[in-house]
Amino acid sequence: MTASPLLLNSRAAALLQVARNRAQTLRIATHTTDDADVFDFGVTAEGGLEAGLLLARICLADLADVRLIPAAGELPLPQVWVQTDHPVAACLCSQYAGWKLQTDDYFAMGSGPMRAAARSEQLFSELPETEGSLDGVQDAVGVLEAGQLPSVSATASLRSQLPENCRLQLAVARTASQAGNIQVVARSVETALHKLHALHFPLEVLISGTGTAPLPPVAKHDLQGIGRTNDAILYGATVNLWVRCEDDLITAIGPRVPS
């Protein structure tokens, strides 16, 4: 796949500046931990629906439209709609929660474009470059799904895998929060792409995608929230992908992809 200088971290950093400027109306809070900027979208801060939509866009490096649309069918729940013309960069290079952050005092699942700055996951050996020269990355933006704000050891662990001297910015929300609820359910297209990758479908033919998934009620506990959001994607999502390839490629892969 050819390199594409989409500068995912710069795009996400611009959205975090919007979040900083609108912190009061978004009901979020900002902190500094070990020289990292931490944005609390739903740990101790209340957050909300609008904060959740913005958090999902940050996770997608601002390469996708994310919004709530009315309920469809018999399920009386709003749907999280995702639309992108850069599905691989937005969903796999950025949004996929492929960074397991674990220290003696902290655990989180990490996603967002900081992954494209680190490129430490095996998955990136098959994904395009998005940042240009990693030595020139000025911002590293991550999204953490966690019940606590990151500790000093957690930010140090992240920094050890990122380019030197970049500005680390982290947006954090627990699953059992409005913002965390939305950002997880906004992974319908990402989940479909990850399945296609597991089936060895050539990702370079994917050119656009849309997805919807029902937004469940916010859970009381994070573990329950993880169950609800995962069920919403796995059993309630509808994804459409646009590809540019020969019909026989679709025929070959089609029967193995769950409807």
Side-chain angles (χ1 to χ4, degrees):
M1 304 178 75
T2 58
S4 178
L6 290 171
L7 305 179
L8 305 185
N9 283 279
S10 295
R11 291 173 178 273
L15 286 183
L16 279 179
Q17 185 58 49
V18 172
R20 185 186 297 277
N21 293 340
R22 299 185 56 215
Q24 184 174 5
T25 57
L26 290 170
R27 302 191 306 216
I28 67 174
T30 61
H31 309 274
T32 299
T33 301
D34 190 33
D35 199 30
D37 295 331
V38 177
F39 293 74
D40 181 355
F41 275 75
V43 179
T44 59
E46 184 174 10
L49 299 176
E50 191 172 0
L53 294 173
L54 182 59
L55 182 61
R57 287 177 56 203
I58 291 167
C59 204
L60 287 152
D62 202 20
L63 286 175
D65 178 28
V66 185
R67 47 197 163 97
L68 294 179
I69 61 174
E74 298 180 358
L75 194 61
L77 295 171
Q79 304 271 315
V80 179
W81 165 270
V82 179
Q83 171 186 325
T84 179
D85 285 325
H86 302 275
V88 174
C91 297
L92 293 184
C93 293
S94 187
Q95 189 187 29
Y96 176 59
W99 196 328
K100 182 180 179 180
L101 174 59
Q102 186 168 12
T103 67
D104 290 341
D105 61 356
Y106 194 75
F107 178 82
M109 292 306 300
S111 55
M114 68 175 180
R115 298 176 48 250
R119 294 188 71 87
S120 57
E121 302 161 41
Q122 177 62 32
L123 177 64
F124 277 95
S125 65
E126 302 172 51
L127 295 179
E129 295 280 355
T130 60
E131 304 306 280
S133 171
L134 295 182
D135 293 335
V137 174
Q138 297 180 344
D139 294 284
V141 176
V143 174
L144 301 181
E145 184 181 352
Q148 296 177 306
L149 297 177
S151 64
V152 171
S153 67
T155 57
S157 176
L158 292 172
R159 282 196 173 280
S160 68
Q161 300 181 62
L162 291 166
E164 293 185 8
N165 302 319
C166 66
R167 180 185 181 189
L168 178 60
Q169 301 185 77
L170 300 170
V172 192
R174 59 187 304 169
T175 317
S177 68
Q178 280 188 302
N181 200 34
I182 288 177
Q183 81 88 6
V184 176
V185 178
R187 295 171 180 271
S188 54
V189 179
E190 176 247 284
T191 302
L193 263 61
H194 191 260
K195 177 65 174 180
L196 288 176
H197 177 259
L199 295 173
H200 306 293
F201 186 84
L203 300 177
E204 63 271 15
V205 307
L206 300 171
I207 58 175
S208 298
T210 64
T212 60
L215 182 65
V218 177
K220 188 175 182 179
H221 305 290
D222 287 333
L223 186 59
Q224 185 182 51
I226 292 170
R228 289 184 182 183
T229 53
N230 286 349
D231 285 352
I233 296 170
L234 296 176
Y235 301 110
T238 299
V239 174
N240 290 277
L241 298 173
W242 281 257
V243 300
R244 185 174 288 117
C245 64
E246 298 298 326
D247 289 345
D248 58 354
L249 179 60
I250 302 298
T251 302
I253 200 74
R256 292 186 288 168
V257 179
S259 59

